[in-house]
């Protein structure tokens, strides 16, 4: 069974440009999460989808970040316009719905560098 | 707020036993997870504790004391491939199942 996949693996853009990250969760996983790790800091929660609905987006840094999950399958995270402080590794994770101890399966991350 | 502390780095010898501690202060608690992450790869699930006590899974064991806000991950018979970052993460009660992570402990296993 395929794990969580993310595209691209690396992205280097200039300040002010737009970047869109994609996450494909494990098939059948209704929960989808985005996290971010900024250099030297811990992994931090950004937002959570259940199917196509946003359950919690309290971790989104500001309105330059837009996440979507149309159809409840893959998700995209768009950063527009990108700023220097947006550099970091963006992780996506998925888990089954309704299982209390269910672990979250993480993707390999997208390393974003904003110059 | 949420606060999770774990040592930044640890070093151990191949074949030895190492214990990685994690302390947490969170507003509510709904489980503690340990993940392993090799450089450039996805964090992979190691263990989950929600009740006090020890959970054993092969060479890896994890312990939880909810009253003390404390957990540890025990790695036995260390192998070179165990060199990685070990992440402690807490799921806060009432949250949308999101995880709050510590900064990770970078373990280096020496021959």
């Amino acid at each position: 069974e395929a794990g969580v996949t993310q595209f691209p693996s690396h992205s280097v853009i200039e300040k002010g440009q737009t970047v869109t990250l994609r996450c494909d969760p494990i098939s059948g996983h209704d929960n989808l999460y985005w996290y971010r790790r900024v250099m030297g800091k811990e992994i931090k929660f950004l937002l959570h989808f259940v199917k196509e609905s946003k359950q919690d987006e309290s971790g989104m840094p500001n309105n330059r970040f837009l996440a979507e999950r149309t159809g409840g399958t893959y998700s995209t995270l768009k950063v527009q316009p990108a700023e220097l402080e947006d550099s970091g590794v963006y992780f996506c994770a998925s888990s089954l719905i309704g299982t209390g101890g269910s672990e979250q399966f993480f993707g390999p991350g997208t390393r974003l560098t904003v110059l | 707020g949420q606060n999770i502390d774990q040592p930044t780095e640890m070093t151990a010898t191949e074949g030895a036993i190492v214990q990685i501690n994690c302390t947490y202060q969170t507003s509510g608690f709904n489980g503690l997870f340990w993940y392993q992450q090799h450089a450039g790869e996805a964090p992979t699930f190691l263990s989950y504790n929600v009740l006090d006590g020890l959970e054993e899974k092969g060479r890896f064991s994890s312990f939880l004391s909810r009253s003390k806000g404390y957990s540890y991950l025990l790695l036995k018979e260390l192998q070179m491939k165990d060199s990685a970052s070990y992440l402690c993460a807490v799921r806060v009660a009432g949250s949308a199942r999101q995880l709050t992570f510590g900064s990770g402990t970078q373990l280096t296993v020496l021959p």
Side-chain angles (χ1 to χ4, degrees):
Chain A
E1 180 183 352
V4 177
T5 57
Q6 293 186 244
F7 182 83
S9 56
H10 294 81
S11 180
V12 180
I13 61 173
E14 293 189 350
K15 176 183 173 180
Q17 290 185 320
T18 297
V19 63
T20 300
L21 314 181
R22 173 171 170 144
C23 168
D24 286 79
I26 293 172
S27 178
H29 281 194
D30 288 334
N31 286 301
L32 188 149
Y33 305 82
W34 283 98
Y35 292 87
R36 177 175 74 170
R37 186 169 201 168
V38 173
M39 179 70 73
K41 302 276 190 173
E42 68 274 17
I43 297 174
K44 284 194 172 179
F45 167 79
L46 295 178
L47 86 159
H48 170 220
F49 284 98
V50 175
K51 297 185 181 180
E52 68 275 9
S53 299
K54 290 178 186 175
Q55 288 293 110
D56 183 348
E57 51 184 331
S58 61
M60 294 287 261
N62 51 60
N63 59 10
R64 295 186 294 102
F65 289 75
L66 175 63
E68 295 180 322
R69 194 182 182 196
T70 307
T73 53
Y74 72 90
S75 175
T76 58
L77 179 64
K78 180 191 287 188
V79 185
Q80 179 181 31
E83 298 289 345
L84 298 179
E85 64 264 25
D86 301 333
S87 295
V89 182
Y90 290 76
F91 291 101
C92 175
S94 71
S95 69
L96 290 169
I97 191 76
T99 48
S102 174
E103 73 263 31
Q104 295 179 18
F105 294 84
F106 280 78
T110 293
R111 182 173 295 277
L112 174 65
T113 302
V114 182
L115 302 176
Chain B
Q2 329 295 347
N3 190 43
I4 300 175
D5 288 317
Q6 50 182 132
T8 305
E9 296 177 322
M10 297 185 72
T11 303
T13 306
E14 193 174 14
I17 299 173
V18 70
Q19 177 174 311
I20 303 174
N21 295 324
C22 172
T23 58
Y24 63 90
Q25 293 174 307
T26 58
S27 52
F29 176 85
N30 193 19
L32 187 143
F33 295 76
W34 283 95
Y35 281 82
Q36 179 193 62
Q37 186 181 22
H38 287 98
E41 298 182 8
T44 55
F45 171 79
L46 291 178
S47 69
Y48 167 70
N49 296 71
V50 67
L51 299 176
D52 291 352
L54 188 68
E55 295 283 340
E56 297 186 80
K57 188 185 294 185
R59 294 189 299 113
F60 292 14
S61 302
S62 59
F63 171 83
L64 175 68
S65 169
R66 289 172 296 170
S67 62
K68 295 181 179 178
Y70 168 69
S71 173
Y72 68 71
L73 179 69
L74 193 71
L75 293 77
K76 303 176 185 176
E77 302 169 14
L78 281 173
Q79 302 175 9
M80 299 295 289
K81 67 178 182 180
D82 296 330
S83 292
S85 180
Y86 290 84
L87 308 172
C88 174
V90 171
R91 186 167 63 203
V92 177
S95 70
R97 300 180 178 273
Q98 74 224 45
L99 299 177
T100 300
F101 283 87
S103 298
T105 299
Q106 182 64 45
L107 174 66
T108 302
V109 180
L110 302 174

